[in-house]
Amino acid sequence: MERRTFLRTAVIGTSTVAFGGSLWRGAALADPAQPGPGPYGSLRPADANGILLPVGFTSRVIARSGQRVGSTSYTWHNAPDGGACYADGTGWIYVSNAEVTPGGAGAVRFSSTGAITGAYRILSGTRQNCAGGKTPWNTWLSCEEVSRGYVYEADPWGTDPAVRRDAMGLFTHEAAAADPVRRVVYLTEDESNGCLYRFAPTTWGDLSSGRLQVLTAGTATSGSFGWADIPDPDGSPTATRSQVPGAKKFNGGEGCHYADDKVWFTTKGDNRVWQLNLVSGTYELAYDDSLVSGGAPLTGVDNVTGSSSGDLFVAEDGGTMDICVITPSGVVAPFLRINGQSSSEITGPAFSPDGSRLYFSSQRGTSGSSSGGITYEVTGPFRT
């Protein structure tokens, strides 16, 4: 706990911390990504876990809904969703939401060798906890995907009680991404006419108070943008997305990722990945399946994360159950595929602190039910 306290203090006190790697260094993405040869090569036949992977990569199951995690006494939750990893001494922790009601979040602790050393609950009694986001002070933001849902801030170590963060607004929350440079948290909204928000806390590192703002822009798929205050973050009687004239609408906001003065977020209603350039104040499409030449390798866009190499990893809700990689040079290609789970979706992609392991879940597994969730780890030569 002393190490965690130190990390929290160190990160809050600086605005130059690298958060999630550097993506598209030095230039905006000129055109939406197109299919091409991926950096990891083609997918090999499915392994014993039903996962197709490139050469050099292996998978293992770390948890199944309704079953004990490893040799621990903790039973893994149903419908595993958004997730993140946290350094823990020489090991790490993976946290995972439960998109059911009652929902919450759980965590798995790993040793330096990747062995499971513990599992436990970090959040309980909430509703439909979908995605979320990691803060620079090492907490987990768990988002309720319900009308007038809340954001909860939870402790990945399971020591401090979770806290509801009302100031971050009441709406159909999906994901969160912290920006330590501008000291704000970006928030997506899972509605067909939803918005993109940012929360500017009064004090960085304390989410109990602050300003909720919405992105304003025209109707085009590229251009300049601004931010406007939400008059009533409570969202009643008027929904937050309907309070500000000029608020830009997005069709089903999903995953969100910040790195290197840019924000990426996905919209499932139109299968797009959007990019905000926070230096130039402009937005554009990083991917749009309707603009792909030939067959689109990425459909049903959902959760998103990034690696230190600058690659984006985008999980599919449906589609062909892929996690696709989008490279800084604008190539999109499958990185992995899960066979035999067409009634599920891939959730919670997150890299271990050293970048050598990727964690994710199949939310409904082979059964197609929330009680059939499976959480995986993939290990291999990821680009750094």
Side-chain angles (χ1 to χ4, degrees), residues 96-368:
S96 169
N97 276 346
E99 195 185 11
V100 289
T101 300
V108 181
R109 179 179 278 125
F110 299 89
S111 72
S112 60
T113 63
I116 295 172
T117 60
Y120 46 90
R121 196 78 168 178
I122 65 171
L123 176 64
S124 299
T126 53
R127 306 163 295 167
Q128 299 292 127
N129 297 80
C130 197
K134 177 181 179 179
T135 69
W137 50 92
N138 291 312
T139 59
W140 170 243
L141 300 180
S142 184
C143 299
E144 290 186 322
E145 189 191 344
V146 296
S147 178
R148 298 188 69 239
Y150 292 97
V151 175
Y152 289 81
E153 186 172 17
D155 174 17
W157 283 260
T159 301
D160 298 330
V163 179
R164 198 177 76 186
R165 296 305 189 189
D166 296 18
M168 300 184 80
L170 277 68
F171 55 87
T172 311
H173 281 279
E174 179 70 28
D179 175 352
V181 177
R182 289 149 204 88
R183 300 191 168 194
V184 299
V185 179
Y186 304 98
L187 301 160
T188 55
E189 181 178 27
D190 193 356
E191 295 282 355
S192 60
N193 62 341
C195 294
L196 181 72
Y197 304 88
R198 73 176 185 182
F199 179 69
T202 304
T203 302
W204 185 235
D206 179 357
L207 302 177
S208 62
S209 66
R211 290 188 301 160
L212 182 66
Q213 300 180 311
V214 66
L215 184 138
T216 58
T219 58
T221 56
S222 63
S224 59
F225 67 86
W227 299 97
D229 288 348
I230 295 290
D232 180 17
D234 181 72
S236 179
T238 303
T240 54
R241 62 185 177 276
S242 301
Q243 293 182 21
V244 175
K248 185 167 179 61
K249 305 299 182 179
F250 295 98
N251 191 353
E254 291 285 339
C256 192
H257 179 71
Y258 168 86
D260 198 34
D261 292 322
K262 297 179 181 66
V263 177
W264 289 264
F265 63 98
T266 61
T267 50
K268 66 182 179 184
D270 46 21
N271 282 313
R272 289 170 169 174
V273 181
W274 299 80
Q275 176 188 283
L276 302 185
N277 186 317
L278 301 168
V279 174
S280 65
T282 58
Y283 69 95
E284 60 189 330
L285 292 174
Y287 176 79
D288 183 339
D289 73 344
S290 69
L291 301 178
V292 166
S293 301
L298 172 61
T299 59
V301 298
D302 204 306
N303 287 183
V304 59
T305 192
S307 69
S308 59
S309 67
D311 295 322
L312 284 179
F313 287 77
V314 185
E316 288 188 333
D317 178 352
T320 49
M321 285 292 286
D322 291 357
I323 292 180
C324 287
V325 58
I326 302 178
T327 70
S329 59
V331 172
V332 57
F335 168 72
L336 66 78
R337 178 171 300 152
I338 304 177
N339 266 356
Q341 301 185 28
S342 60
S343 296
S344 187
E345 61 184 277
I346 299 179
T347 58
F351 282 95
S352 60
D354 68 357
S356 67
R357 302 168 192 252
L358 176 65
Y359 295 92
F360 58 94
S361 295
S362 172
Q363 189 179 78
R364 295 176 292 280
T366 58
S367 70

